[in-house]
Amino acid sequence: QLQLQESGPGLVKPSETLSLTCTVSGGSISSSSYYWGWIRQPPGKGLEWIGSIYYSGSTYYNPSLKSRVTISVDTSKNQFSLKLSSVTAADTAVYYCAPVVVGGFDPWGQGTLVTVSS
Amino acid sequence: EIVLTQSPDFQSVTPKEKVTITCRASQSIGSSLHWYQQKPDQSPKLLIKYASQSISGVPSRFSGSGSGTDFTLTINSLEAEDAAAYYCHQSSSLPLTFGGGTKVEIK
């Protein structure tokens, strides 16, 4: 059974780059059975898809964030990563990683709160 | 971008009541609509996939219906543990989008 765990700094300064890693266990990140996604949730608000990466390496980003987002995969570590540049307070959120097998995102990682503040 | 509009935003319900949450898409998405439950301080959990397909381990009181632009999540005989926010999500086209959420409170 797949399990995912997000990790990374909980505090990032404005204008800097947010970097998070999602470690996958219980399955291979190279499997064609899944694709992998990042989703975020500002405090007290709803869910926003950031982007996804396929086993082939193809990436798809939310146009609202596309100019600032990079998602990549490290197959040797069974991890995938998120980089979001030029962050502002509006990027403060809980960041989740999750796979899609068939249908929706399932299961989700526990999430990690990233606060953008000087 | 496909916009998903959920209603109501908030619902206060007594145990054993039936709860109905709707999700309307701004254009047809076939059956590519999924429902999640998010309890306080927890990650979202997939409840229903492809509009009406059940998920292993999810209680049978949760069901989904609809296609095209109009979808419904039904909770039959609400239990106290069902207090949560519920979100719909479409995977028909990019960018993937979510509804604004419906908070269900237990009276």
Side-chain angles (χ1 to χ4, degrees):
Chain A
Q1 184 176 355
L2 284 175
Q3 290 187 307
L4 289 84
Q5 177 71 57
E6 305 88 350
S7 59
L11 181 64
V12 181
K13 289 182 169 54
S15 80
E16 294 189 345
T17 296
L18 177 161
S19 295
L20 296 175
T21 297
C22 181
T23 300
V24 178
S25 58
S28 172
I29 203 160
S30 301
S31 171
S32 61
S33 301
Y34 319 116
Y35 67 91
W36 310 94
W38 285 99
I39 305 102
R40 70 179 184 179
Q41 184 173 36
K45 296 188 178 180
L47 300 163
E48 179 182 35
W49 174 70
I50 299 170
S52 295
I53 188 164
Y54 288 72
Y55 71 94
S56 62
S58 298
T59 52
Y60 300 87
Y61 301 134
N62 192 321
S64 67
L65 300 168
K66 186 175 183 178
S67 63
R68 301 193 290 131
V69 173
T70 303
I71 296 175
S72 60
V73 167
D74 186 338
T75 55
S76 66
K77 295 181 179 179
N78 223 36
Q79 296 175 334
F80 63 106
S81 299
L82 168 70
K83 292 188 184 300
L84 181 65
S85 63
S86 305
V87 297
T88 69
D91 295 311
T92 294
V94 176
Y95 286 75
Y96 297 101
C97 58
V100 176
V101 179
V102 177
F105 290 105
D106 180 47
W108 296 52
Q110 68 180 31
T112 186
L113 174 63
V114 179
T115 302
V116 178
S117 175
S118 56
Chain B
E1 172 176 321
I2 295 174
V3 177
L4 299 178
T5 303
Q6 284 185 237
S7 61
D9 294 333
F10 177 84
Q11 197 164 10
S12 185
V13 188
T14 55
K16 299 187 179 180
E17 264 192 80
K18 178 180 176 180
V19 173
T20 300
I21 299 169
T22 64
C23 178
R24 175 163 289 176
S26 59
Q27 62 191 78
S28 179
I29 57 172
S31 296
S32 297
L33 190 285
H34 320 292
W35 291 97
Y36 301 88
Q37 175 193 63
Q38 186 178 31
K39 296 182 179 180
D41 298 319
Q42 294 187 16
S43 307
K45 171 187 172 184
L46 183 65
L47 282 182
I48 299 287
K49 64 181 181 181
Y50 291 113
S52 61
Q53 295 181 19
S54 59
I55 301 295
S56 176
V58 174
S60 59
R61 62 182 179 274
F62 292 94
S63 64
S65 63
S67 66
T69 60
D70 293 304
F71 301 86
T72 300
L73 173 69
T74 300
I75 311 173
N76 282 302
S77 191
L78 187 80
E79 297 191 6
E81 65 182 27
D82 300 333
Y86 293 85
Y87 295 92
C88 57
H89 158 233
Q90 67 82 20
S91 61
S92 175
S93 66
L94 298 177
L96 305 181
T97 52
F98 292 86
T102 296
K103 185 175 181 180
V104 174
E105 174 192 86
I106 309 299
K107 283 182 182 176

